[in-house]
């Protein structure tokens, strides 16, 4: 008899209702890939909450096990370079989307998805970062690569209390940037300031529904997790040669805009797509996060839950109510 283990299982019944439960599976239920990982920690990202609801834009088929992040120890491997006992991190690719994910005591994945746990990070810290930290770091990298140093002006971060937002605020502040945090949670002003934000403004300040092609020159750069009119507003408010790293869509997917920010101000719109980031660039981002960009006091951003406590957190993240990072102790 093969070993059994628990996971959070999403399925659809005959009437089309989607349900979630903790289910016991056998290792034979997992995909036939090269590396079996005993998961220690996973995390909750906005995309995971969509997957947990069976969202067809994320999940290809049901039943499904969500969890786009996983960290743990290799339990078995047919790859000569990946040995049992090695600590590893897996984020993105198809994990928790087309492939059963990290909300499970075990995952089996292709060897090409495995990143050795970078020296300097614990498994727990790697999941406090998870896809959120990996994405925040790519946003910061895009801002730096495109010529914005701290002397160029203010950097705005939207969705600032969320997973990507909170880590972007902390990282940018540590690197010396003047961070303007945009939030719908005014009550968390002092928390955002403790993370390093120099200013905290409301979401409504970054929502301009006029058709004006340009707005006053205001910010040097932005990390935008919201999309829609928020992103349109930021693009029109950027200073000459400003940069926005666009990674999210919690506020919408439309982008009504004219070309004027690009043609008259040289604004750069940098798209961030974490899931498919090529392996060599992926390793470099993790090395940065474990080394020079190591974020102070990561634990203070994290709430840890068990698989059977995820339900309430899923509801919260869908309503934009999560603060910081939720990790799953599997
Ligand atoms: N492109 C990529 O590779 C990639 C990778 C990771 C994440 N993402 C995307 O980035 C976004 C954030 O992900 P996350 O995991 O950090 O989610 P999260 O923890 O839920 O953070 C999102 C934050 O956005 C704000 N928000 C929520 N609803 C909003 C609305 N309707 N209008 C304006 N602001 C709203 C809230 O912060 P405040 O209350 O502080 O405003 C919320 O905490 C998601 O769209 C996710 O899919 C993309």
């Amino acid at each position: 008899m093969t070993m059994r283990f628990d996971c959070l299982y999403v399925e659809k019944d005959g009437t089309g209702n989607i349900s979630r439960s903790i289910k016991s599976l056998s290792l034979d239920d997992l995909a036939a890939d090269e590396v079996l990982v005993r998961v220690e920690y996973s995390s909750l990202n906005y995309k995971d909450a969509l997957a947990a609801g069976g969202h067809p834009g994320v999940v290809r088929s049901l039943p499904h096990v969500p969890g786009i992040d996983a960290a743990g120890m290799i339990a078995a491997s047919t790859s000569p370079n990946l040995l049992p006992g090695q600590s590893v991190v897996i984020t993105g690719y198809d994990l928790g989307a087309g492939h059963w994910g990290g909300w499970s005591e075990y995952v089996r994945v292709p060897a090409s998805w495995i990143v050795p746990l970078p020296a300097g990070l614990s498994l727990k810290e790697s999941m406090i970062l998870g896809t959120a930290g990996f994405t925040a770091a790519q946003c910061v990298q895009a801002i730096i690569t495109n010529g914005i140093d701290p002397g160029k002006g203010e950097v705005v971060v939207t969705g600032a209390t969320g997973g990507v937002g909170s880590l972007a605020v902390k990282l940018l502040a540590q690197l010396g940037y003047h961070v303007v945090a945009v939030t719908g949670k005014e009550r968390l002003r002092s928390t955002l300031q403790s993370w390093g934000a120099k200013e905290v403004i409301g979401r409504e300040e970054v929502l301009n529904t006029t058709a004006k092609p340009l707005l006053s020159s205001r910010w040097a750069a932005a990390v935008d997790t919201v999309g829609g009119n928020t992103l349109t507003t930021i693009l029109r408010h950027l200073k000459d040669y400003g940069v926005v790293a666009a990674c999210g869509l919690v506020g919408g997917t439309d982008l009504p805009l004219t070309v004027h920010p690009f043609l008259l101000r040289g604004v750069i719109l940098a798209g961030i797509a974490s899931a498919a980031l090529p392996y060599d660039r992926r390793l470099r981002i993790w090395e940065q996060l474990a080394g020079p960009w190591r974020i102070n006091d990561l634990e203070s951003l994290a709430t840890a839950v068990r698989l059977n406590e995820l339900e309430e957190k899923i509801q919260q993240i869908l309503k934009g109510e999560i603060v910081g990072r939720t990790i799953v102790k599997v």
Side-chain angles (χ1 to χ4, degrees):
M1 203 176 82
T2 66
M3 195 183 58
R4 300 196 70 80
F5 63 92
D6 284 349
C7 67
L8 191 140
Y9 196 74
V10 182
E11 56 194 324
K12 186 154 62 169
D13 68 18
T15 61
N17 281 332
I18 307 264
S19 65
R20 295 184 276 273
S21 60
I22 306 295
K23 189 158 176 150
S24 166
L25 299 181
S26 121
L27 290 181
D28 294 339
D29 293 319
L30 295 175
D33 289 307
E34 293 106 340
V35 186
L36 179 71
V37 176
R38 170 83 171 89
V39 180
E40 283 273 335
Y41 289 96
S42 180
S43 85
L44 170 67
N45 299 275
Y46 187 75
K47 186 174 171 184
D48 295 316
L50 297 179
H55 193 295
V58 178
V59 176
R60 230 158 290 143
S61 63
L62 292 171
H64 180 66
V65 179
I68 64 172
D69 295 334
M73 216 173 265
I74 295 179
S77 165
T78 58
S79 167
N81 301 324
L82 296 166
L83 301 175
Q86 196 176 344
S87 294
V88 297
V89 180
I90 313 151
T91 61
Y93 292 111
D94 220 8
L95 191 72
H99 192 100
W100 286 4
W103 291 2
S104 171
E105 290 176 303
Y106 284 90
V107 293
R108 200 186 275 123
V109 297
S112 59
W113 294 6
I114 300 269
V115 169
L117 179 72
L121 285 180
S122 66
L123 287 172
K124 185 179 186 187
E125 287 171 328
S126 76
M127 287 293 98
I128 299 175
L129 293 165
T131 288
F134 184 62
T135 302
Q138 286 169 76
C139 290
V140 172
Q141 188 184 52
I143 287 170
I144 294 172
T145 308
N146 286 296
I148 307 297
D149 57 47
K152 294 276 187 339
E154 296 166 3
V155 180
V156 73
V157 177
T158 61
T161 67
V164 177
S166 57
L167 288 159
V169 167
K170 281 189 79 108
L171 178 54
L172 284 163
Q174 270 180 227
L175 296 176
Y177 288 89
H178 179 119
V179 177
V180 178
V182 182
T183 185
K185 304 185 188 91
E186 168 61 28
R187 68 180 191 283
L188 294 182
R189 169 177 292 272
S190 59
T191 303
L192 283 159
Q193 286 165 339
S194 74
W195 293 343
K198 285 276 186 335
E199 285 172 60
V200 179
I201 61 175
R203 285 182 198 167
E204 63 293 342
E205 265 204 61
V206 194
L207 278 179
N208 184 307
T209 52
T210 68
K212 286 184 184 168
L214 290 171
L215 301 168
S216 61
S217 284
R218 203 166 166 193
W219 302 304
V223 172
D224 179 51
T225 66
V226 174
N229 182 270
T230 300
L231 178 53
T232 307
T233 301
I234 289 170
L235 282 161
R236 290 179 292 159
H237 263 312
L238 283 186
K239 292 180 172 179
D240 289 354
Y241 305 100
V243 179
V244 54
C247 68
L249 46 65
V250 287
T253 52
D254 289 348
L255 199 59
L257 193 69
T258 69
V259 294
H260 293 92
F262 308 113
L263 273 50
L264 298 180
R265 290 187 180 160
V267 160
I268 293 173
L269 173 55
I272 304 298
S274 286
L277 194 71
Y279 193 77
D280 54 338
R281 291 171 63 186
R282 185 174 289 265
L283 286 186
R284 282 204 297 277
I285 291 285
W286 277 112
E287 278 163 16
Q288 284 288 105
L289 281 167
W293 288 4
R294 196 187 153 79
I295 296 173
N296 299 330
D297 202 14
L298 273 175
E299 294 265 352
S300 69
L301 286 185
T303 306
V305 297
R306 297 270 175 184
L307 285 176
N308 61 4
E309 297 167 327
L310 267 167
E311 193 54 44
E312 187 191 341
K313 296 291 174 191
I314 293 168
Q315 303 305 333
Q316 277 180 2
I317 202 166
L318 289 172
K319 288 190 227 144
E321 288 171 2
I322 287 279
V323 178
R325 290 280 293 151
T326 300
I327 57 166
V328 186
K329 173 83 184 88
V330 179

